[in-house]
Amino acid sequence: MLAKLFKFYGGVKPPSNKTLSNQQPIRPAPLPSRLVVPLHQHIGGTPRPLVQAGDPVLKGQKIGEADGWISAAVHAPTSGTVVEVAMHVRPHVSGLESLCVVIEPDGKDEWITHGPADRAAMSPADICQFLQEHGIVGLGGAGFPTHGKLKATPGVPMAELIINAAECEPYITCDDLLMRERADDVVRGIAVFRDMLQPTQVIIGVEDNKPEAIAAMQKAVEAQGEAFAVVPVPTLYPAGGAKQLIRVLTGKEVPGAMRSTADMGVQVFNVGTAYAAWRAIGHGEPLISRIVTLTGNVRGAGNVEALIGTPMDELLKLAEPNPDTDGIIMGGPMMGFLVPNEHAPIVKTSNCLIAHSERLFPPKAPEMPCIRCGACARACPHELQPFELYWHARAKDFGKTQQYHIFDCIECGCCAYVCPSRIPLVQYFRFAKSEIWAREKEKKAADEAKQRFEFKQFREEREKAEKAEKLAKAAAAQAAKKAAEAAAASEAPATEQPAEAAADPAEAAKKAAIAAAMARAKAQREAAQPKNTDELTPEQAREMAEIEARRQQAGIVPEPADAQPATTETKPE
C-alpha cells in the first residue's frame, strides 16, 4: 500500500445506492430475440461492415473491420443470420441513428475456432494489432481503443500504470462484482498491460466502499506473485475520473489542456478493460459481451453478463421493473442520460441501466436565476468557474466560454448537483461545446473550399501560362524555320531544285502526290469522253446527227477546232 494519498479539489458525496445491486452474483442474460450491433461503439473511425443481409455468422466472427489506427473491430455476439445492415437508433442522448448489423440468433450459440495467443512469440506491435482485431476498447469511459494507449510517449519513461477500479458513480456495481468474482483474470489482464508499458509501479485504485472487491484483488495479486499495489481510495465523487485518480494516487496534477496522461509518464485503464484484454489474449475471445448493472425502479436489481447489441428494454425486463417505470437511464445518475428510444441496444460502454421513475428521480424544481453563491466553483473538480461558463453559454458568447476553459469540463455534474438555483449547468455546457464544434466544422469546411477555389485558380493560371509558352515556342520555331528556308534559297545554284523542295522534302512529296492524283482524275475524265465519231456506237451516231441537224436549223455554225478566240484591237489615233 502507498504511504500517502492525496486529495483533488472539489467533489461531492451523493447517496451511493449500490447495495441495491451488489448483493447477488453475476448471472448470464439469455439470448435476446434479435441483436442490433452498432458498428460505431467507440472513439475513432467507424468500422466498415463485412457482412450483408442473408449471411450466416458464428459467435465471435468479425462483422466490422477497423477503420484506421484509432478504431477497433466489431464481432457477432452469437451465431445466427444477418437480417440487415441498416440505420438504427443508437444509445445516445441525441437519439440519432447509426449503421448497425442486425442478427437473428439461431439458438446454437456456435463459436468460431478460437484459442489463446502465443504471447511469447508476439512483439508489442503484434499484441496491439491482436487487441484491435478483437475489438478491445475502454469499458469505463468514452471507449478509447485499448491498443492506442499501450505505447509510452517517446522520451518519457512510464512511471505508473493505474488500474481504475474506483467506480464512483451511484448505483453502478458492475466493476465491484467483476473484481469479486473474476479477480484472477483481471490481474492477468493487468500483467499484459504491465509487460507492454514496463512501468515502475502498478497501482490498482478501489474506492473504500468496496471491501469485498479489495480483498479479492489483494488475494489474486498475491496468488499470482505480482507486485501490484491494491490501494483503497476515499469515496468521493468523481474519484473515478482519470485525472482525479492520478492526483489521489500519485500527487501529480494533470494540466487541463493535456489529453494524453502518457506525456506525464502515467497511463490509466479501467478494470473491466483489463479483464476483456485477458479474455482476448488468454482465450481468443473478442469483446462481444459485458457486465451490466440493472437497478433503479426494479424488484430484482443485480448484474448480468449481456451480449453487445441486446435491446435495452428487453434486458431491463430481467430485473422486473415496477409498473411506474417511465424510462431508462444509461449510465449513472450523475453523468448518464435518459435514452430517447428504449429499443436502443447496449454497446461496449453500457455499464448500467437504471429504471427511471418520478419516485426515485422527482422532477427538478423550476430553474431560478443564478445568485453567484460560488457553490458550483467549490465543487468543480477541475477548478473551473461554472457560473461564468453558464452566463457566457447562455448569452451564446462562445469565445468567452473557451477563455474560461469550457473544454476542461468533464461534465461530471457536481456543479448542477450543488446548485441551489437548480440550474442544469451541464446542459448549458454541452450546448456550448456542440455549438463550438459545429462552428469549427463549418470553418474547416469553408477553409477547405477556399483552398480548393484558390488551387483551381492557380491551376487555370498555370495552364494558361503553359499554353502561352507553348505557342511562343511554336512561333519562334516557325520563324526560325522560315529564316533557314530563305537563307537556303538564296544560297542554292540555279540548277538545283527549288528551295522549298530542298528545304522540306516532306512538303515536296505531298505536292507531288496531289499532282499525281489530279492527273489521274483528268485521265479518267478524258477516258469517259469519246475521241472521234469512229468510236461512236450506231445509236450515239444517230443522236449526234440529230443534234447537228437541230444546230443547223437554228443557224449555229460550229467553229473550227483550231479557231482562235476573237480579239478587239484599238488602233492608235
Side-chain angles (χ1 to χ4, degrees):
M1 180 180 293
L2 294 182
K4 182 180 180 181
L5 294 177
F6 301 85
K7 293 182 178 181
F8 62 88
Y9 185 86
V12 295
K13 276 195 171 185
S16 65
N17 292 312
K18 292 181 181 288
T19 55
L20 295 173
S21 58
N22 67 0
Q23 304 301 309
Q24 301 294 327
I26 300 170
R27 53 194 173 119
L31 280 176
S33 57
R34 72 171 188 165
L35 293 160
V36 182
V37 185
L39 290 172
H40 195 198
Q41 303 185 39
H42 53 264
I43 286 178
T46 301
R48 302 181 296 274
L50 300 177
V51 294
Q52 57 186 354
D55 288 351
V57 293
L58 296 176
K59 185 174 184 176
Q61 179 180 331
K62 186 161 64 173
I63 59 176
E65 183 71 44
D67 181 23
W69 176 246
I70 304 302
S71 182
V74 180
H75 303 79
T78 188
S79 59
T81 304
V82 176
V83 177
E84 62 177 350
V85 180
M87 302 295 288
H88 285 269
V89 66
R90 59 174 176 159
H92 191 268
V93 66
S94 66
L96 297 177
E97 295 182 341
S98 65
L99 191 62
C100 301
V101 177
V102 182
I103 300 174
E104 183 179 332
D106 59 11
K108 298 178 182 179
D109 208 31
E110 184 179 356
W111 270 96
I112 58 171
T113 302
H114 65 290
D118 185 4
R119 286 178 59 196
M122 297 172 72
S123 66
D126 293 336
I127 294 177
C128 285
Q129 184 178 3
F130 185 86
L131 293 176
Q132 182 184 34
E133 287 296 307
H134 283 70
I136 309 303
V137 302
L139 299 185
F144 193 90
T146 301
H147 65 274
K149 297 171 64 176
L150 287 174
K151 187 176 180 181
T153 300
V156 181
M158 187 60 63
E160 294 97 3
L161 169 61
I162 294 177
I163 303 302
N164 188 345
E167 197 170 48
C168 59
E169 270 261 32
Y171 285 95
I172 306 176
T173 60
C174 57
D175 289 348
D176 183 6
L177 269 293
L178 173 67
M179 290 184 287
R180 291 192 204 180
E181 299 184 14
R182 306 177 187 180
D184 289 337
D185 281 354
V186 171
V187 172
R188 293 187 182 99
I190 297 171
V192 172
F193 296 161
R194 186 268 320 276
D195 295 342
M196 292 284 290
L197 293 171
Q198 296 294 317
T200 303
Q201 58 179 336
V202 178
I203 309 170
I204 305 170
V206 189
E207 274 195 330
D208 56 14
N209 62 353
K210 304 175 182 62
E212 296 92 342
I214 294 171
M217 290 297 294
Q218 288 174 338
K219 182 179 178 181
V221 168
E222 293 172 1
Q224 297 182 34
E226 300 288 359
F228 304 158
V230 182
V231 182
V233 299
T235 300
L236 180 67
Y237 180 83
K243 295 181 179 181
Q244 285 69 42
L245 192 59
I246 290 172
R247 170 66 183 171
V248 170
L249 295 175
T250 69
K252 295 179 179 179
E253 194 76 44
V254 181
M258 182 176 288
R259 297 299 172 219
S260 175
T261 58
D263 295 341
M264 293 183 61
V266 184
Q267 194 58 281
V268 183
F269 292 93
N270 178 263
V271 64
T273 308
Y275 174 77
W278 175 250
R279 296 304 301 180
I281 295 288
H283 301 272
E285 297 177 3
L287 181 51
I288 56 174
S289 66
R290 66 154 300 141
I291 300 172
V292 182
T293 301
L294 305 179
T295 185
N297 188 38
V298 296
R299 295 186 293 274
N303 287 271
V304 298
E305 184 165 11
L307 297 178
I308 304 300
T310 302
M312 291 186 183
D313 56 347
E314 193 168 338
L315 186 61
L316 191 61
K317 288 179 182 178
L318 302 177
E320 303 177 19
N322 292 315
D324 60 335
T325 298
D326 56 6
I328 300 175
I329 299 174
M330 188 180 102
M334 300 296 288
M335 298 184 69
F337 60 90
L338 269 171
V339 292
N341 190 324
E342 297 179 5
H343 301 299
I346 67 164
V347 292
K348 296 176 181 180
T349 55
S350 302
N351 56 358
C352 180
L353 299 182
I354 303 177
H356 181 276
S357 72
E358 292 188 358
R359 181 174 55 84
L360 286 181
F361 303 97
K364 291 186 177 180
E367 178 181 335
M368 302 292 288
C370 174
I371 60 175
R372 290 186 176 269
C373 63
C376 56
R378 290 190 294 273
C380 178
H382 278 262
E383 302 183 53
L384 302 176
Q385 298 180 41
F387 58 90
E388 293 285 0
L389 291 171
Y390 159 69
W391 283 113
H392 296 306
R394 183 172 179 175
K396 299 184 180 180
D397 189 351
F398 303 121
K400 279 288 188 180
T401 63
Q402 290 180 280
Q403 291 180 16
Y404 279 91
H405 309 289
I406 191 169
F407 286 102
D408 288 349
C409 170
I410 61 173
E411 303 176 14
C412 63
C414 290
C415 55
Y417 182 79
V418 300
C419 178
S421 296
R422 299 292 185 264
I423 301 173
L425 295 166
V426 175
Q427 294 183 22
Y428 283 99
F429 304 157
R430 287 173 178 165
F431 162 71
K433 288 180 181 180
S434 63
E435 285 295 313
I436 294 170
W437 285 327
R439 295 185 183 191
E440 288 293 331
K441 186 176 180 180
E442 291 176 0
K443 182 179 181 299
K444 183 180 178 182
D447 291 343
E448 290 175 351
K450 181 181 178 182
Q451 290 177 0
R452 290 194 300 270
F453 177 73
E454 291 176 348
F455 180 74
K456 179 184 177 183
Q457 285 187 317
F458 167 75
R459 187 180 69 248
E460 290 176 349
E461 292 294 334
R462 183 187 63 192
E463 292 174 351
K464 193 180 296 183
E466 290 175 351
K467 184 176 181 181
E469 184 179 357
K470 288 180 181 179
L471 292 174
K473 287 182 179 179
Q478 188 69 18
K481 176 182 174 182
K482 290 182 177 179
E485 290 175 354
S490 62
E491 295 175 1
T495 57
E496 292 184 0
Q497 295 179 352
E500 293 82 1
D504 194 349
E507 187 67 24
K510 182 178 179 181
K511 291 180 178 180
I514 294 173
M518 293 176 66
R520 287 194 300 271
K522 182 178 180 181
Q524 291 174 358
R525 287 196 301 272
E526 290 177 352
Q529 295 179 359
K531 301 294 183 183
N532 50 59
T533 57
D534 296 339
E535 299 178 359
L536 298 176
T537 63
E539 293 181 359
Q540 290 175 335
R542 185 170 58 255
E543 290 180 3
M544 290 294 292
E546 293 175 356
I547 292 171
E548 185 63 26
R550 288 195 295 271
R551 288 170 61 88
Q552 290 178 359
Q553 291 178 0
I556 300 174
V557 180
E559 295 181 357
D562 57 350
Q564 298 294 328
T567 58
T568 304
E569 293 184 354
T570 305
K571 295 181 181 180
E573 296 180 356

